[in-house]
Amino acid sequence: MSTSSSQVVLEGRGVGRLFGTGPLAVRALHPTDIQVRRGEVLVIMGPSGSGKTTLLSLLGLVLSPTEGEVMLDGRTVSGGSPDALALLRRERVGFVFQQFNLMPGLSALDNVALPLLLRGTSARERAARARVALARVGLSDREAAKPRLLSGGQQQRVAIARALVTDAPVILCDEPTASLDGVTGKAVLNTLKDLATDLGRAVVVVTHDDRVLAIADRLVEVVDGHVHERASPSAREVHG
Amino acid sequence: MRMLGLALKMLLDAPAKSMGTLVGVVVSVFLMSQQLSILLGILSLVSAFADGTDADIWVASAATENTDITDSLPATRVAEVASTPGVAWAAPVIQGMSRITRPDGVRELVKVVGVEPPRYAGLARTLVDGTQRESLRGPARVFLSWSARPAFAFPAPGERLEIDGKTAFVAGFFDKVDPHSSYTYVFANLDDARAYTQFPQDRITFVATGVSPGEDAVTVRQRLQARIPDALVVTRGELSAMEVRHFLRRTPVGMVFGMGTAVAAFIGSVIVAITLYSSVVDRLRDYGTLKALGATRKDLVRLLLAQAWLFFAVGAGVGLLAFFFVKAHAPQAPMLAPPWMLAGVMAVSLTSCTLASLAAVRRALAIDPAIVFRG
């Protein structure tokens, strides 16, 4: 699963995960190598329980591998303390979740600005950058709205704005279109594709949704904890 | 500070729960202030005689526990005290229980304190309604407590009373010497007081003593004690502390109000702890999201402390306002609120809120950020 190393921003080397110990241990992901390049959309597909979310959690540094290592910008980062990993996520990784995970008490603008708040960015700069991010996803007119007043598609676009507001080079998306209808899902996918092509972000999308293949530059499949790269997104249709 | 805004918005997002917690802190601060202020008010009454009269040093019988439980001294002690270096003046004071007959015939219990002209040492420092010390000059003149006037049907100066069946005329009023007891003080001339209380002519209760300018009261007290070792010699402050100690030892009042204060602090703490903890449990996904987005342990601690301190700031402010409102509208209640007491209540409340956030902090820190990927 090799790619041009000069463009690799995120990499898993022999990375695997076992939950539990002894005879009760469950293998969620077999040791695998995976690389994510700047400016590409990498789609990870697979059946439920296959280990794709585990792979995303490992790459997103929210879960520590039991084997192998995760490298960010060529540096081994897995194995750091929880706070060190939190700081790396804050600076280098943006997340888009299936359930949006917006803070219900905050406006769209405040939700987008949240990663900047954690960074200690000044209030004025936070607001300015969050407005730019909201404009990028086409929600400038909804900045004061609380999440409950936004549609599912709007909430997901707020989440995308939150992921891109920090200029993190890696954006990890977990089923970003699962809660959205066809038209809204397509709009969200277009936004994610733009992040890769226009802004040069590395976008990783875990999904069951075949529509995502339309924006995929590369496709990997996870089956029973084993990761397989397909030659091209269309190859999945042959495999599947 | 950067977490304060986020903390506030999270609290406002759950208004019912936040309001319930706020009420808990308000009640806690109000109760702590009210209980302590009443205790201090009662203690100030207990030591009112020592605090409200004008002697620097008191000489009493060695068999003295407080100003109520004391014996008498030979009257010759006055001369011994007066001739001691550092003593500016010394004067006899007697006290004894008697009864004033009210207009309705009820015989009200009084403690008659006899003081000697021309200095009237041992007299209440605060005289009111135009009363002068010299108003006691002349036979059968007495000063009554200003706050006890209702018990005597608001007698006017010059009005005749009966003490122990003997005539007394109201010569004026004093204030701030009201005991925490069923009797009230009456000040009278030494000779009249002897008559009202049938106190022996050759005995006295106290020697009220003034210290010469530039002399230290404690040094003079030590000198006096060395000279008259069979008597009790105490400064005004020591006598005041003696009264308070005896009262706290002999009555459950300190325990009752102390427990009331502790329970109030505990209740406030528990309410904040339960609310913060349950809010974290209710918002596991939110805190998980914060962790996934890069919140460190310190960030989460700050966020939860900010919430606890917001509860403290608003709750304590409203609680104190409620306390001062009640204090202003209940002048009959003995409530004292010195700055140190208010500062103490604030410190205890702040500490309670801070400690109360610990369980929530612990729960938040234990959240797995991978929770954000669970559907």
Side-chain angles (χ1 to χ4, degrees), chain B:
Chain B
M1 281 301 286
R2 68 190 156 101
M3 287 296 173
L4 205 57
L6 178 59
L8 181 61
K9 285 170 183 169
M10 289 178 82
L11 294 182
L12 292 177
D13 188 46
K17 186 174 277 191
S18 298
M19 190 55 74
T21 310
L22 208 53
V23 168
V25 178
V26 168
V27 170
S28 170
V29 168
F30 172 80
L31 280 179
M32 277 195 286
S33 306
Q34 183 250 11
Q35 295 279 293
L36 276 178
S37 74
I38 290 181
L39 177 60
L40 291 178
I42 290 173
L43 293 182
S44 77
L45 296 180
V46 167
S47 61
F49 181 78
D51 297 335
T53 51
D54 62 356
D56 299 321
I57 292 174
W58 291 88
V59 179
S61 160
T64 297
E65 291 207 359
N66 65 359
T67 52
D68 283 334
I69 304 173
T70 184
D71 203 346
S72 62
L73 294 165
T76 52
R77 285 288 190 219
V78 178
E80 281 181 82
V81 171
S83 62
T84 303
V87 172
W89 50 262
V93 175
I94 69 154
Q95 68 170 29
M97 304 309 293
S98 191
R99 289 184 183 275
I100 285 186
T101 306
R102 293 193 333 199
D104 60 0
V106 173
R107 300 183 74 222
E108 192 82 40
L109 192 62
V110 292
K111 184 192 257 190
V112 180
V113 178
V115 290
E116 188 182 56
R119 179 172 291 280
Y120 298 109
L123 182 63
R125 274 204 296 260
T126 307
L127 302 178
V128 295
D129 199 32
T131 303
Q132 304 292 320
R133 286 175 163 247
E134 293 70 30
S135 307
L136 264 190
R137 198 180 297 276
R141 307 283 180 89
V142 295
F143 288 169
L144 299 183
S145 165
W146 181 255
S147 56
R149 285 173 305 140
F152 304 112
F154 296 96
E159 197 165 307
R160 182 183 174 280
L161 302 167
E162 273 191 13
I163 301 178
D164 195 32
K166 301 173 183 69
T167 295
F169 294 99
V170 178
F173 298 94
F174 62 89
D175 199 8
K176 298 182 180 173
V177 184
D178 296 300
H180 174 65
S181 193
S182 55
Y183 63 80
T184 59
Y185 278 103
V186 170
F187 286 92
N189 277 305
L190 198 65
D191 292 339
D192 290 331
R194 286 187 194 281
Y196 295 142
T197 60
Q198 296 167 15
F199 205 92
Q201 289 293 328
D202 60 340
R203 308 291 292 181
I204 58 173
T205 311
F206 304 111
V207 182
T209 308
V211 171
S212 301
E215 288 280 357
D216 173 47
V218 174
T219 307
V220 175
R221 188 259 288 159
Q222 288 168 340
R223 213 174 281 153
L224 278 168
Q225 188 68 80
R227 184 156 186 208
I228 42 175
D230 57 340
L232 174 76
V233 185
V234 286
T235 62
R236 182 194 302 153
E238 289 165 344
L239 181 62
S240 175
M242 250 177 91
E243 300 265 61
V244 169
R245 269 200 310 274
H246 182 268
F247 180 78
L248 291 177
R249 208 168 44 232
R250 287 289 190 88
T251 70
V253 171
M255 175 77 81
V256 168
F257 284 96
M259 281 188 69
T261 305
V263 167
F266 179 72
I267 287 173
S269 185
V270 166
I271 289 175
V272 174
I274 290 173
T275 312
L276 280 182
Y277 186 84
S278 69
S279 84
V280 170
V281 171
D282 291 347
R283 292 172 170 267
L284 287 179
R285 185 171 283 273
D286 290 344
Y287 284 98
T289 301
L290 283 171
K291 290 179 100 167
L293 295 180
T296 60
R297 296 164 65 87
K298 195 184 282 184
D299 290 328
L300 293 181
V301 170
R302 283 177 178 157
L303 178 60
L304 285 160
L305 277 181
Q307 292 182 39
W309 289 344
L310 280 170
F311 281 131
F312 158 72
V314 180
V318 176
L320 278 187
L321 281 179
F323 164 70
F324 280 115
F325 178 82
V326 169
K327 185 173 181 290
H329 289 81
Q332 74 282 8
M335 295 168 92
L336 282 184
W340 64 263
M341 184 210 87
L342 298 174
V345 168
M346 293 294 96
V348 168
S349 181
L350 178 62
T351 306
S352 297
C353 288
T354 303
L355 292 176
S357 69
L358 293 183
V361 165
R362 194 181 154 95
R363 183 69 188 90
L365 293 181
I367 295 171
D368 179 1
I371 191 176
V372 291
F373 289 123
R374 291 169 202 149

Side-chain angles (χ1 to χ4, degrees), chain A residues 143-200:
Chain A
E143 69 173 48
K146 297 276 177 66
R148 61 179 167 273
L149 299 177
L150 298 171
S151 68
Q154 288 173 326
Q155 289 189 56
Q156 195 58 297
R157 281 191 281 160
V158 171
I160 293 171
R162 181 177 65 186
L164 64 89
V165 75
T166 58
D167 297 329
V170 177
I171 294 178
L172 304 180
C173 310
D174 182 37
E175 303 278 10
T177 55
S179 307
L180 307 178
D181 61 43
V183 175
T184 313
K186 191 174 178 187
V188 165
L189 290 176
N190 288 338
T191 306
L192 291 174
K193 182 65 178 175
D194 289 346
L195 297 183
T197 54
D198 298 352
L199 302 179

